[in-house]
Amino acid sequence: MTQQSGTAVLSTEATADALLVATGISKSFGNVRALQDVSVWLPRGQITALIGDNGAGKSTLVRVLSGVHPADEGSLTFDGSPVRFASPEDARTAGIETVHQNLALIDDLTVWQNLFLNRELVRGFGPLSFLDRKRMQEQAEKMLSRLSVNVPPIRSKVRRLSGGQRQAVAISRAAGWGSKLVIMDEPTAALGVQETARVEELVKGLRADGMTVLLISHNFDQVMRLADQVWVMRAGRLAAGRRTQDTDGEELVGLVTGAITS
Amino acid sequence: MAEAVAVGADRESLGGRLRDIGFWADWAAVIGLVALVIVFGLASPSFLTLGNIQAMLVSAAILIVLAVGQTFVIATSGIDLSIASIMTFGAVVLGLLYAAGWPILLACLVGVVAAGLAGVINGTLVAKGRIPDFVVTLGMFSAASGAALILSDGKPTQVVDGFLLALASGSVGPFGYFIVVAAVVVVVAHVALFHTRFGVHVLATGGNAEGARAMGIRTGRVRLAVYLISGVLAGVGAILLVSRVGAAEPAINTTYLLNAIAAVVLGGVSLQGGRGNILGPVVGALLLTALTNGLTLLGISQYYQPLAVGVVVVMAALLMRYQR
């Protein structure tokens, strides 16, 4: 082990500039206690990874943070003020966007239509509002311009895009609306090596632009490559927290399986 | 980069496009219509006369209006099996109110409202009741024609009125009012589907309802709205039908139902939803009308017409498997 002493252990006490602080979150579904007293925080402008085995509570925690399930107990502080999300719309309004594994893209609509889905720009007023296609297409170009390679053609239907391009569209959409936190659920799970590298570049690009990212991943190498900080879940509880510079893949595996207890 | 180029290479040469079966699939309805016009034009000298073309357009008008309503429903991956029954129901309401001494315009309006209400019932059951579209509208198919029979006691109501006569026989230049009404419906529907937020949400609901909901689109409201549109257009069809026949008949008219769906399919709208297009179903409706008209002109027994329609629709569906 690279670190035996307690110095590397990340405290669940948030630093002053944390964007999101979750304290004492518990959530049960019937008799199943999915989350028990989980406290985590996300440093502003950094990439935080959330890892853990299947059923460890990662998804439930993400659903609590993105407003899908309200927590039974515990509190959330986002951007300095206490929040309570009753629906995904609430979380979105606050500035939290989630890229789900199924991406929520509409295959038969174009890239720009997907980027503006339910946020369409219109001209006119009331019942005589018509889509401002030109302005949406121009802004769509800008939203995708941060992708240096593998840029999907904005007038192409999403059906024709590669897996990596689809992921890029979904991430660009999540990042493109003044959101402060983007949560990504296994963004490279279905991708090949090259496309994974491109999506990772995109995620780094978001950080370079000052975005805060929460990344759910099963891939420890990816976590070590991308993340600044890691939270490990095990059996519905927070098992450990680490700065990635103070840990390695081997320790993370140990923390996930329970071979190492922090 | 290579990928982006390959995806972006939409502009092929004309020769290349003609060899691509996808091109034929995309334009199946137009090509079919042109082929029919050539064949019938050669076979029957009266087919391409101005009078016959006008007659065809007039008789296509009701089918076009119904097909447009059906297109909205099918674009959300639903189907409205009750559209022709609701038209019959609207026609009977119109006829009875007129017979009861109501002014014709008010009778027409209430007929349309009644048809729209039937659509709202469809939409509510589909959206809120979470019953499959097929089952809900199959029930409405029966219920609306039943209501028409009960209200009218199974008897047709004569509607002889100056306004409806003028609607059936008058024209703007060479275009009869029926054609004008159908054209207005088509233009408004096209704008609604492709130039409004509502239209995008219709296609999103049909293409990926779960994804649309995740983006905050209220898919239940969208489904309700498309059935309302379908019902109201069935009501507009009812006015045209009463005007054309000169009476409100409670008889079930399944030909209109099947042809409305066939026109939408011919127009390249996927029954799986998510893909929509207004001009395609219009061409589909014109094609079906030309087919029936041409066969009649050639003196072929009308018993062969449903067979011909069936063959054309299935052939078109086969070709559309290659749609891009």
Side-chain angles (χ1 to χ4, degrees):
Chain A
M1 286 298 89
T2 51
Q3 297 293 334
Q4 301 293 343
S5 67
T7 53
V9 174
L10 186 61
S11 166
T12 55
E13 283 295 313
T15 56
D17 74 328
L19 177 71
L20 182 126
V21 183
T23 315
I25 301 288
S26 295
K27 177 75 190 173
S28 300
F29 298 98
N31 290 327
V32 182
R33 302 201 68 178
L35 293 175
Q36 292 183 54
D37 192 26
V38 174
S39 298
V40 296
W41 54 276
L42 308 182
R44 193 184 293 269
Q46 297 187 10
I47 300 172
T48 304
L50 183 62
I51 60 175
D53 231 333
N54 290 337
K58 302 187 301 281
S59 307
T60 311
L61 181 59
V62 165
R63 292 204 188 100
V64 168
L65 300 183
S66 61
V68 177
H69 300 314
D72 297 337
E73 286 167 48
S75 62
L76 291 178
T77 307
F78 186 69
D79 209 11
S81 38
V83 287
R84 208 176 156 73
F85 301 138
S87 72
E89 286 299 294
D90 286 357
R92 188 172 287 147
T93 313
I96 300 177
E97 288 280 343
T98 309
V99 182
H100 295 284
Q101 249 177 329
N102 61 22
L103 300 184
L105 295 175
I106 315 292
D107 280 351
D108 281 315
L109 294 182
T110 62
V111 169
W112 66 267
Q113 283 174 317
N114 270 283
L115 287 172
F116 281 86
L117 194 59
N118 205 24
R119 283 162 169 152
E120 296 86 358
L121 304 178
V122 291
R123 286 174 302 179
F125 49 88
L128 289 177
S129 302
F130 302 107
L131 297 177
D132 194 343
R133 292 170 161 247
K134 190 156 165 277
R135 204 149 58 91
M136 283 192 275
Q137 289 173 358
E138 284 167 6
Q139 289 193 20
E141 298 269 14
K142 280 188 203 135
M143 286 169 78
L144 293 180
S145 62
R146 79 165 92 226
L147 311 174
S148 48
V149 289
N150 208 21
V151 182
I154 59 157
R155 286 177 187 79
S156 167
K157 286 191 174 180
V158 165
R159 183 182 294 288
R160 295 168 154 227
L161 304 187
S162 68
Q165 286 177 321
R166 295 164 67 88
Q167 191 75 44
V169 172
I171 294 175
S172 301
R173 177 169 69 182
W177 295 101
S179 44
K180 295 166 184 155
L181 168 63
V182 175
I183 301 174
M184 295 180 203
D185 192 359
E186 300 271 2
T188 59
L191 302 183
V193 178
Q194 269 197 338
E195 299 222 290
T196 297
R198 286 172 179 163
V199 169
E200 287 183 4
E201 283 308 309
L202 175 57
V203 176
K204 284 185 193 165
L206 292 183
R207 174 173 57 190
D209 290 349
M211 184 73 73
T212 308
V213 176
L214 177 62
L215 174 75
I216 291 88
S217 182
H218 268 116
N219 181 334
F220 296 114
D221 291 337
Q222 180 174 62
V223 169
M224 292 305 295
R225 278 197 300 274
L226 281 180
D228 302 289
Q229 172 168 319
V230 189
W231 296 112
V232 184
M233 306 269 309
R234 197 188 320 128
R237 292 174 183 276
L238 184 73
R242 291 285 186 276
R243 296 296 293 178
T244 39
Q245 64 200 20
D246 299 331
T247 187
D248 54 26
E250 203 183 331
E251 186 188 21
L252 292 181
V253 173
L255 288 168
V256 164
T257 56
I260 303 172
T261 50
S262 61
Chain B
M1 274 331 273
E3 274 176 82
V5 170
V7 172
D10 271 353
R11 301 275 166 265
E12 304 155 36
S13 68
L14 186 64
R17 294 177 115 196
L18 289 180
R19 278 190 296 275
D20 177 5
I21 194 162
F23 167 83
W24 295 95
D26 282 352
W27 293 88
V30 176
I31 292 162
L33 179 60
V34 170
L36 277 187
V37 167
I38 293 173
V39 169
F40 286 134
L42 290 175
S44 161
S46 48
F47 184 77
L48 277 179
T49 57
L50 182 64
N52 191 50
I53 291 174
Q54 283 172 331
M56 272 195 287
L57 288 174
V58 166
S59 67
I62 296 176
L63 187 55
I64 288 173
V65 171
L66 295 183
V68 166
Q70 189 70 261
T71 299
F72 276 92
V73 176
I74 288 179
T76 64
S77 77
I79 192 159
D80 190 351
L81 298 177
S82 63
I83 194 163
S85 301
I86 292 180
M87 176 167 75
T88 304
F89 172 67
V92 165
V93 169
L94 192 171
L96 290 177
L97 291 178
Y98 178 76
W102 287 43
I104 185 67
L105 285 178
L106 199 58
C108 287
L109 183 69
V110 175
V112 172
V113 169
L117 279 178
V120 168
I121 295 172
N122 274 337
T124 308
L125 289 171
V126 167
K128 301 266 191 289
R130 292 169 194 270
I131 308 171
D133 302 69
F134 190 92
V135 177
V136 168
T137 59
L138 189 63
M140 182 57 79
F141 166 82
S142 203
S145 28
L149 285 169
I150 293 167
L151 288 175
S152 64
D153 203 17
K155 294 194 267 293
T157 314
Q158 292 283 323
V159 181
V160 185
D161 176 86
F163 169 72
L164 290 186
L165 269 174
L167 184 64
S169 55
S171 63
V172 182
F175 302 109
Y177 286 139
F178 270 41
I179 300 166
V180 176
V181 170
V184 169
V185 166
V186 167
V187 170
V188 170
H190 180 86
V191 170
L193 191 57
F194 291 109
H195 294 278
T196 67
R197 298 187 68 192
F198 170 72
V200 178
H201 294 182
V202 166
L203 296 174
T205 301
N208 178 357
E210 197 192 336
R213 271 195 299 277
M215 295 309 295
I217 293 174
R218 296 181 175 179
T219 54
R221 280 191 178 188
V222 172
R223 289 188 201 280
L224 181 57
V226 293
Y227 279 103
L228 171 63
I229 291 173
S230 180
V232 166
L233 288 179
V236 172
I239 297 176
L240 299 181
L241 187 66
V242 173
S243 158
R244 187 153 183 232
V245 179
E249 295 174 334
I252 301 173
N253 201 329
T254 48
T255 311
Y256 273 120
L257 165 65
L258 298 177
N259 282 358
I261 296 173
V264 176
V265 172
L266 282 172
V269 177
S270 159
L271 286 179
Q272 267 121 43
R275 285 172 152 207
N277 152 26
I278 300 293
L279 296 179
V282 170
V283 174
L286 290 174
L287 190 158
L288 292 175
T289 310
L291 182 64
T292 320
N293 177 281
L295 292 176
T296 309
L297 283 184
L298 292 181
I300 294 170
S301 157
Q302 63 171 350
Y303 296 153
Y304 284 90
Q305 289 172 5
L307 176 64
V309 169
V311 169
V312 166
V313 169
V314 172
M315 268 167 49
L318 271 177
L319 191 52
M320 266 158 218
R321 290 176 50 202
Y322 298 98
Q323 221 171 27
R324 288 173 295 187

